């Protein structure tokens, strides 16, 4: 939008930076501070372009034609002024000003933006409410409740569930940090808000677990919740970068028909239930960017290339063993189970899996568009499929090559 303004004389301070694009075109960046009853900061960009007009004059001298070349230099100025509020006092100027916001939607606000804070606070609350509805319908609604109690589940699921808590906490901290950084909150404050927000989310889950007869409040889960947030917070504080990233990959498992009653009861049947519950289908990764540790500015080693270390487990048909009571609400009730209802599938070997693979840090891909960078950042929680070497604790093939590991 182009507008005309005539300004009155006023005190101001002018700071100028000159950036040359080439020998004929340069831009002047002014930080203008107007001082009267209030102070207004405006960023004025003056684009100056040098243009040459060539004139050839013909002169007849003693019958001979002579050509004289004249060059006229013109300078054209184009003004861009960046500010949010139209002000009443400024240096005397009458002309056309192009008004635009000092930052775009996908850019972090350079100053504290109250409207963005209100939006993020409401958005965070809405997502939290929706997530609670999802957790309740996909998980808690299917089990019996009890009085609040503690539960030691450290040995369960080969600790895959504990790493899941660390991953969830890391992701929520990362997500919260970037949301509040977008509002203009300072770096250190955004880090703390991100970590505290993640702990509040995860603590509410743990309190719900404490009210379930089948589970309980787990201090092991709390420890991994804090570890996930600290992994993000310490890196962001020290390096302003995530050189180590927690990621996830998953692939649906196909269970034999005679195991379906057990797996349907444990892991559910819907896609959302399987995401939350089936630890056999999930692998967690710690991806590291070697290029981020190279201090040489002229290093050509890409920072987006990552080495990735994965962990998972297979054939888990219960928290601690493949023996269960077919009519019990908890595997802890196995001692009170009628022998006729005990199912023993210890013939199915449970084992841990360790992986070595490659990955990509999408946030370090050089893209100019802010919206594209935001989308790549969201994708960064998923480990990209790559070939991998598997090392496991099974009694048969302990080393396997995976052409494409999800």
């Amino acid at each position: 939008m182009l507008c005309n303004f005539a300004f009155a004389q006023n005190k101001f301070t002018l700071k100028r930076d000159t950036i040359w694009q080439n020998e004929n075109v340069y831009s002047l960046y002014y930080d203008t501070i107007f001082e009267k009853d209030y102070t207004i900061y405006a960023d004025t960009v003056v684009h100056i372009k040098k243009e040459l007009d060539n004139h050839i004059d013909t002169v007849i001298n003693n019958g001979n034609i002579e050509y004289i070349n004249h060059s006229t230099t013109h300078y054209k100025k184009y003004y861009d002024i960046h500010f949010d509020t139209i002000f009443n006092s400024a240096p005397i100027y009458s002309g056309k000003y192009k008004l635009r916001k000092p930052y775009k939607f996908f850019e972090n606000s350079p100053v504290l933006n109250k409207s963005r804070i209100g939006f993020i606070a409401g958005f965070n609350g809405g997502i939290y409410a929706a997530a609670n509805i999802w957790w309740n319908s996909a998980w808690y609604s299917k089990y019996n409740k009890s009085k609040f109690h503690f539960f030691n589940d450290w040995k369960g699921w080969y600790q895959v569930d504990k790493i899941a808590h660390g991953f969830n906490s890391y992701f929520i901290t990362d997500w919260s940090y970037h949301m509040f950084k977008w509002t203009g909150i300072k770096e250190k404050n955004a880090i703390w808000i991100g970590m505290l927000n993640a702990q509040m989310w995860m603590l509410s889950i743990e309190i719900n677990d404490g009210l379930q007869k089948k589970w309980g409040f787990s201090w092991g889960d709390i420890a991994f919740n804090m570890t996930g947030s600290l992994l993000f917070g310490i890196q962001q504080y020290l390096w302003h970068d995530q050189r180590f990233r927690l990621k996830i990959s998953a692939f649906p498992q196909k269970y034999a028909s005679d195991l379906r009653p057990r797996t349907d009861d444990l892991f559910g049947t819907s896609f959302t239930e399987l995401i939350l519950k089936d630890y056999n289908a999930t692998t967690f990764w710690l991806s590291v960017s070697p290029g981020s540790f190279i201090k040489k500015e002229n290093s050509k080693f890409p920072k987006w290339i990552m080495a990735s270390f994965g962990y998972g487990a297979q054939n888990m048909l219960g928290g601690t063993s493949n023996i269960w009571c077919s009519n019990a609400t908890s595997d802890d009730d196995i001692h009170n189970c009628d022998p006729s209802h005990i199912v023993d599938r210890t013939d199915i070997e449970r084992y841990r899996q360790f992986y070595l693979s490659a990955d990509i840090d999408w946030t370090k891909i050089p893209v100019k568009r802010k919206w594209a960078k935001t989308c790549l950042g969201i994708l960064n929680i998923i480990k990209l499929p790559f070939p991998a070497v598997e090392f496991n604790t099974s009694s048969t093939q302990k080393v396997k090559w995976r052409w494409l590991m999800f």
Side-chain angles (χ1 to χ4, degrees), residues 159-177:
Q159 293 80 50
V160 177
D161 64 320
K162 296 293 175 284
I163 298 176
H165 275 266
F167 166 80
N168 292 334
S169 187
Y170 176 88
F171 165 66
I172 297 173
T173 303
D174 187 353
W175 171 60
S176 301
Y177 161 82

Side-chain angles (χ1 to χ4, degrees), residues 149-154 206 214-220 330 332:
H149 62 284
F150 294 92
F151 180 60
N152 183 4
D153 60 347
W154 177 254
E206 207 56 45
K214 193 170 183 177
W215 301 287
F217 187 98
S218 169
W219 287 111
S330 172
D332 291 340

Side-chain angles (χ1 to χ4, degrees), residues 42-157:
D43 290 332
T44 306
V45 183
V46 183
H47 303 284
I48 300 179
K49 186 175 182 181
K50 181 180 179 181
E51 298 180 352
L52 297 177
D53 290 339
N54 292 323
H55 302 275
I56 300 177
D57 296 333
T58 305
V59 178
I60 300 177
N61 186 10
N62 296 326
N64 296 321
I65 298 176
E66 297 181 0
Y67 299 97
I68 301 176
N69 187 4
H70 296 281
S71 294
T72 305
T73 302
H74 299 280
Y75 293 92
K76 290 186 178 181
K77 295 184 178 181
Y78 307 92
Y79 296 86
D80 285 347
I81 292 186
H82 304 231
F83 54 88
D84 287 327
T85 307
I86 297 176
F87 44 85
N88 297 321
S89 299
I92 295 176
Y93 180 80
S94 180
K96 290 184 178 181
Y97 283 80
K98 184 179 179 181
L99 308 182
R100 63 185 184 187
K101 291 182 178 180
Y103 47 86
K104 297 180 180 179
F105 179 82
F106 285 97
E107 294 179 356
N108 293 338
S109 174
V111 295
L112 193 64
N113 189 313
K114 293 182 179 179
S115 60
R116 285 191 175 187
I117 289 177
F119 170 76
I120 289 301
F123 179 75
N124 185 60
I127 292 294
Y128 176 75
N132 270 278
I133 294 172
W134 177 41
W135 294 328
N136 186 66
S137 62
W139 193 304
Y140 296 117
S141 63
K142 297 180 175 19
Y143 302 101
N144 297 325
K145 292 185 178 296
S146 69
K147 293 182 179 180
F148 183 85
H149 62 284
F150 294 92
F151 180 60
N152 183 4
D153 60 347
W154 177 254
K155 295 182 179 180
W157 304 108

Side-chain angles (χ1 to χ4, degrees), residues 70 92 109 124 134 195 199 221 245 295 319 347 383-384:
H70 296 281
I92 295 176
S109 174
N124 185 60
W134 177 41
M195 291 194 296
Q199 293 309 300
D221 290 350
R245 290 188 176 273
K295 296 182 179 181
D347 58 301
K383 198 272 187 188
L384 193 69

